[in-house]
């Protein structure tokens, strides 16, 4: 079926195409009667007329698309939940959120800007200099490094604070020798390294030895080797802070097969508060994140960047309020 155009609306409503343009663009300086406006609007609705996005972008100089460039990251529930929350938040403000998963090996992004005409580009990682320069030449605003350590103010979500909260909780439970379960995946380094740095700084501030770091993968063998290293060395650890809940659950399962009691022999804390964490036996202590609030913070920054009104947020959380300790049975 051919696309309905403004010419079709004009013919059906018995007015000129210029009149249709004035009505649909909300222009009221041409003395059109209320009856004419109503007839055009009803005709457009009845015919299913949808304005051309390209034409609207040409008139405004940009579209209402927020293009989010996502680097090569493993599929993770927390990131997917954040993306959904950001899409909802921007949608309420009248913007469409489009995600581009870009591993850095495709055609240069400069070729994309001219086709999409985004209102703003939001880079979850750091854009290569050549791509950032192409945006400047195209006069397209860029919010760069959302999930880098320097970008925590954009969302209010600090990866370092996550590691700090884990250590502070374990120390408050009396643990002095603490292990850290890092994820051995280069794609997760933007998250893992700052969390480990926060944990290390917290140990230093509390007068504790640095955490005993073991790199892990999502495998039974890797979890078994990590638990052996933590519990059978010269100075066994009594607690482990894990990079995320999945790594923590792998440690928990391995402890069960090695007859290590949780939390009596080894306390354990994760990150993400995945639904499965509360179903584990024993239930996993973890750090939860208010991803809706984090997405709202980023939305406010995006709207301010494009010069759009920022909705009032009377209870907008700050950095400390977005993270919460969820204490269960493993600590």
């Amino acid at each position: 079926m051919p696309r309905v155009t403004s010419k079709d609306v004009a013919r059906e409503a018995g007015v000129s195409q210029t009149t249709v343009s004035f009505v649909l663009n909300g222009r009221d300086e041409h003395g059109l009667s209320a009856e004419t406006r109503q007839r055009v609007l009803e005709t457009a609705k009845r015919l299913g007329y949808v304005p051309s996005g390209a034409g609207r972008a040409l008139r405004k100089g940009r579209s209402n698309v927020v293009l989010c460039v996502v680097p090569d990251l493993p599929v993770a529930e927390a990131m997917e939940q954040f993306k959904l929350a950001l899409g909802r938040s921007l949608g309420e403000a009248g913007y469409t959120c489009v995600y581009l998963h870009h591993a850095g090996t495709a055609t240069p992004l400069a070729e994309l800007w001219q086709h999409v005409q985004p209102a703003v580009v939001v880079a979850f990682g750091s854009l290569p200099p050549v791509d950032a320069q192409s945006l400047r030449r195209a006069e397209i605003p860029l919010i760069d490094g959302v999930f880098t350590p320097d970008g925590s103010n954009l969302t209010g979500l600090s990866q370092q604070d996550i590691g700090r909260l884990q250590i502070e909780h374990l120390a408050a439970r009396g643990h002095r020798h603490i292990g850290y379960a890092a994820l051995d995946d280069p794609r997760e380094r933007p998250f893992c390294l700052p969390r480990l740095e926060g944990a290390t700084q917290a140990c230093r501030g509390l007068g504790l030895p640095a955490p005993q770091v073991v790199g892990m993968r999502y495998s039974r063998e890797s979890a078994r080797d990590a638990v052996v290293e933590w519990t059978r060395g010269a100075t066994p650890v009594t607690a482990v802070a894990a990079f995320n809940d999945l790594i923590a659950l792998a440690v928990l399962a391995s402890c069960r097969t090695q007859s290590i009691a949780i939390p009596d022999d080894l306390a354990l804390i994760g990150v993400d508060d995945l639904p499965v964490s509360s179903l584990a036996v024993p239930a996993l202590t973890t750090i939860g994140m208010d991803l809706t609030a984090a997405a709202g913070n980023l939305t406010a920054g995006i709207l301010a960047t494009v010069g759009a009104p920022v909705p009032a947020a009377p209870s907008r959380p700050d950095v400390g309020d977005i993270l919460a300790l969820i204490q269960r049975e493993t600590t």
Side-chain angles (χ1 to χ4, degrees):
M1 179 180 295
R3 180 178 178 273
V4 177
T5 67
S6 60
K7 184 180 294 186
D8 298 322
V9 176
R11 183 174 56 252
E12 187 74 12
V15 298
S16 70
Q17 193 172 354
T18 301
T19 296
V20 171
S21 176
F22 287 153
V23 172
L24 297 182
N25 285 296
R27 298 171 62 179
D28 56 6
E29 70 271 25
H30 297 277
L32 298 176
S33 68
E35 180 184 356
T36 298
R37 291 181 180 280
Q38 185 66 23
R39 185 165 73 252
V40 169
L41 292 173
E42 289 178 352
T43 302
K45 182 177 181 181
R46 176 165 52 82
L47 295 180
Y49 171 74
V50 178
S52 165
R56 185 168 56 243
L58 184 62
R59 290 189 299 272
K60 295 170 60 180
R62 63 179 58 158
S63 70
N64 67 340
V65 170
V66 175
L67 180 62
C68 295
V69 181
V70 183
D72 183 23
L73 296 174
V75 176
E77 181 170 337
M79 180 60 73
E80 295 307 307
Q81 291 295 331
F82 178 83
K83 288 160 60 180
L84 288 172
L86 182 61
R88 287 193 299 267
S89 183
L90 285 168
E92 292 171 358
Y95 285 81
T96 299
C97 193
V98 174
Y99 293 101
L100 171 67
H101 292 261
H102 184 72
T105 58
T107 303
L109 293 174
E111 296 185 12
L112 182 65
W113 317 142
Q114 55 189 310
H115 296 296
V116 178
Q117 294 283 325
V120 60
V121 172
V122 180
F124 282 17
S126 294
L127 277 190
V130 63
D131 292 319
Q133 178 63 28
S134 74
L135 284 171
R136 285 191 289 269
R137 286 196 299 267
E139 298 183 343
I140 298 173
L142 169 65
I143 297 178
D144 202 17
V146 170
F147 287 115
T148 64
D150 293 337
S152 61
N153 62 308
L154 295 169
T155 60
L157 179 58
S158 167
Q159 303 300 323
Q160 289 183 326
D161 281 349
I162 290 174
R164 174 182 59 80
L165 286 173
Q166 288 180 298
I167 297 300
E168 288 177 349
H169 173 67
L170 294 175
R173 305 290 291 176
H175 299 283
R176 292 192 53 82
H177 296 282
I178 300 172
Y180 189 88
L183 181 57
D184 188 10
D185 186 334
R187 297 173 297 172
E188 290 281 23
R189 283 175 186 162
F191 302 97
C192 189
L193 291 182
R195 291 181 191 181
L196 175 56
E197 182 180 352
T200 302
Q201 291 177 349
C203 285
R204 186 182 306 118
L206 293 168
L208 304 180
Q212 184 177 340
V213 182
V214 176
M216 286 181 54
R217 298 177 300 280
Y218 295 126
S219 72
R220 182 186 298 269
E221 295 77 12
S222 181
R224 181 196 61 225
D225 293 344
V227 171
V228 168
E229 187 169 343
W230 282 318
T231 59
R232 301 182 189 177
T235 308
V237 306
T238 61
V240 170
F243 165 69
N244 63 15
D245 284 354
L246 290 179
I247 286 292
L249 291 172
V251 172
L252 181 61
S254 185
C255 286
R256 181 182 294 275
T257 64
Q258 297 183 54
S259 300
I260 296 172
I262 302 288
D264 295 339
D265 298 331
L266 191 70
L268 185 62
I269 183 171
V271 178
D272 285 339
D273 191 26
L274 298 179
V276 69
S277 302
S278 65
L279 303 177
V281 180
L284 179 66
T285 296
T286 187
I287 302 295
M289 296 176 280
D290 188 340
L291 298 175
T292 298
N297 288 345
L298 180 56
T299 294
I302 292 170
L303 296 178
T305 298
V306 300
V310 178
S315 59
R316 179 180 174 185
D318 59 21
V319 173
D321 293 331
I322 286 180
L323 301 177
L325 171 70
I326 312 296
Q327 184 169 348
R328 297 193 179 105
E329 299 167 352
T330 59
T331 56

